[in-house]
Amino acid sequence: MPVKIEIPSPLRDHTGGKTEVAATGTTVQIALADLVSQFPSIASKLFDGGKLRPYINLFVNDEDIRYLDDMDTAVADGQVIAIIPAVAGG
Amino acid sequence: MNVATLDFSIGLRCRVCGKLYPKEAINFCKDDFGPLEADYDYEAIARNISRAKIEKRPKNMWRYRELLPISGEPSVGPQVGGTPLVKADRLADALGVQNLWIKNDAVNFPTLSFKDRVVSVALSKAREFGMKTVGCASTGNLANSVAANAAAAGLESFILVPASLERSKILGTSIFGSNVVAVDGTYDEVNRLCTQIALKYGWGFVNVNLRPYYAEGSKTFGYEIAEDLGWRFPQHIVCPMAGGSLIGKIHKAFTELNKVGLVDQANTCKMYGAQATGCNPITDAVKTGKERHKPIRKPVTICKSLAIGDPADGYFAAKLIRESGGWAEDVSDDEIIEGMSLLARTEGIFAETAGGATIAVARKLIEQGRLPRDEEIVLCITGNGLKTLDALYEAIEPPVNIKPSLAEFESLVVGHEPIVA
Ligand SMILES: Cc1ncc(COP(=O)(O)O)c(C=O)c1O
Ligand SMILES: [Zn+2]
């Protein structure tokens, strides 16, 4: 069973409307690379010069990856990676 | 004139790439996820606004309505704002400075914090958009304000707060009939959840999809300071920071007043940010020269209203503080309580913990020589102390307890001479 990546509505134009994409990979980095290989046009939305854009947060099972191992955070089959816009709150 | 023409906003502009978006319920750029900010036709505003026109209007935040992004009459919070700017001479003496003011939003209407300003803009906009359900993620004051203003406007509300909030802030939300959800988690976790809910249900979350409108409401805190000083700016402002929005909007307010010709003086006001040491991502970024703040996973402070570990405007707040020539500091919980009592004892103003942090930070910056003792300083008091009593029960001495007996009373007041022996 692969990793599940939750796609927020503003990115669904790039995933053919899919709200969730199955991807393979043992880390967040690798799973996202798999997402990009399936839906290449999403790459420039998520990354700028190879780095995750500053106003996007990634969560593995509801935990912010910045408090884990960032893009190297391990993911196991069945876990959920959520992509969430960061500009909220206050 | 048709009131709808008073809407001089032209849309929402991405602060990263500059792309202009139409006036919709959206808070980030579709290209880079950057924050969106309301933009205006300032030349048209300049032609349509004057001091005389503003001064004729009722003393509330809507007297600056040309500079707010709503169309037509505000339908929520028509009486918000117009709070006192107090010359704080006794506090000035205690702090050893010459020229000190307090902008006192502890008495803002209706829920006793500056958040009524942001909420009235956001919810007026929500109604323009035809939304029936609104909500927010909140550290407390926003919860109170969304709940009250939504109730008065007949809107359904969902309010999500960290379960660890002060009881009074939770009660002061539930009383308005909101759906209050206490989440086991930090503010940032609550906020992330609200983003997911807003994207999924399309409700009007004031600090998520309505955030560009919400944030503009804070500018009125700055307009009022400038007008009450006689249409000019102070040299220094000390402001509490959570998400880091208010401090930027006060500064933006001054820049706009100059731009539309209401104030001649250029905006050279220096901005100083205050946080609690137990949650200091922005002050840390300023003090250690980081471009981007390092998020705090688990804030630990009595100053819950400012406990946002990953502030959305952290980057912009730190940049503004540096570029304006100001500085930032954070203070311990004990210092926050000392700040609250100092303000109460010198000025008779009971501020919440965020106000205590602001006073204590001002004191620290004065002692460090960063705030000059002979220049004009405004301290931003943004919330009311009656809401954060939880922070004080242990710190404040209980009253002396006596029998209803004159002798017992007199044993307490030795040294005072009676007028009749
Ligand atoms: C009393 C009080 N002061 C200041 C702030 C900080 O505002 P901002 O999030 O715009 O930095 C808050 C925010 O929640 C607050 O409740
Ligand atoms: Zn952009």
Side-chain angles (χ1 to χ4, degrees), chain B residues 200-214:
Chain B
K200 185 152 186 174
Y201 290 86
W203 296 338
F205 273 80
V206 303
N207 53 354
V208 184
N209 50 346
L210 296 171
R211 192 169 194 271
Y213 309 101
Y214 151 101

Side-chain angles (χ1 to χ4, degrees), chain B residues 12-323:
Chain B
L12 303 177
R13 198 176 287 288
C14 174
R15 292 185 81 179
V16 175
C17 71
K19 184 166 168 179
L20 189 66
Y21 286 83
K23 300 174 217 173
E24 288 171 0
I26 173 179
N27 58 318
F28 54 86
C29 174
K30 287 178 181 155
D31 291 341
D32 51 32
F33 290 84
L36 301 184
E37 181 176 34
D39 197 2
Y40 301 83
D41 180 350
Y42 286 107
E43 284 176 15
I45 296 175
R47 286 193 303 273
N48 280 276
I49 207 172
S50 68
R51 290 184 188 179
K53 200 164 172 177
I54 292 170
E55 285 163 0
K56 268 197 235 100
R57 294 176 177 163
K59 211 156 175 3
N60 62 56
M61 63 178 269
W62 299 105
R63 64 208 253 122
Y64 315 100
R65 51 168 306 163
E66 284 85 352
L67 291 153
L68 295 170
I70 68 155
S71 90
E73 290 298 325
S75 67
V76 179
Q79 285 159 302
V80 175
T83 59
L85 183 72
V86 180
K87 189 81 189 354
D89 290 338
R90 280 175 44 79
L91 180 60
D93 282 349
L95 295 176
V97 294
Q98 284 169 19
N99 197 354
L100 187 69
W101 300 86
I102 290 187
K103 173 62 174 170
N104 186 13
D105 260 21
V107 293
N108 200 14
F109 176 85
T111 65
L112 309 176
S113 87
F114 88 99
K115 293 290 185 183
D116 291 321
R117 300 177 186 272
V118 291
V119 168
S120 54
V121 177
L123 293 190
S124 288
K125 207 68 196 171
R127 293 180 103 187
E128 277 179 40
F129 291 142
M131 293 166 159
K132 300 274 186 284
T133 303
V134 298
C136 65
S138 175
T139 57
N141 286 309
L142 186 61
N144 297 167
S145 183
V146 171
N149 286 294
L155 296 163
E156 182 188 31
S157 62
F158 281 86
I159 311 253
L160 287 83
V161 295
S164 61
L165 222 54
E166 296 95 343
R167 275 200 317 173
S168 47
K169 288 224 173 105
I170 295 187
L171 283 176
T173 309
S174 307
I175 187 74
F176 300 109
S178 303
N179 302 292
V180 183
V181 183
V183 179
D184 291 324
T186 61
Y187 173 82
D188 292 312
E189 292 174 303
V190 176
N191 191 38
R192 186 255 304 149
L193 177 59
C194 285
T195 300
Q196 291 173 300
I197 300 170
L199 285 172
K200 185 152 186 174
Y201 290 86
W203 296 338
F205 273 80
V206 303
N207 53 354
V208 184
N209 50 346
L210 296 171
R211 192 169 194 271
Y213 309 101
Y214 151 101
E216 288 291 284
S218 286
K219 293 190 305 186
T220 61
F221 193 96
Y223 301 143
E224 289 177 9
I225 292 173
E227 185 183 346
D228 285 347
L229 286 175
W231 296 107
R232 59 181 186 83
F233 311 132
Q235 287 158 294
H236 310 275
I237 292 230
V238 187
C239 178
M241 306 184 292
S245 172
L246 173 64
I247 191 169
K249 293 297 178 175
I250 294 172
H251 191 263
K252 180 181 181 188
F254 292 169
T255 303
E256 285 180 338
L257 289 179
N258 173 263
K259 205 170 188 167
V260 302
L262 289 167
V263 174
D264 302 327
Q265 181 192 354
N267 176 14
T268 55
C269 182
K270 297 181 177 161
M271 306 302 293
Y272 301 78
Q275 292 199 299
T277 302
C279 184
N280 64 349
I282 308 178
T283 56
D284 170 69
V286 171
K287 291 195 289 182
T288 60
K290 293 186 186 75
E291 197 190 18
R292 289 198 178 273
H293 67 265
K294 192 167 162 289
I296 309 267
R297 186 182 190 174
K298 294 243 184 288
V300 186
T301 170
I302 55 165
C303 191
K304 299 182 194 236
S305 57
L306 301 183
I308 295 185
D310 189 16
D313 284 311
Y315 165 80
F316 295 106
K319 185 165 182 278
L320 167 68
I321 288 168
R322 278 193 293 263
E323 289 176 357

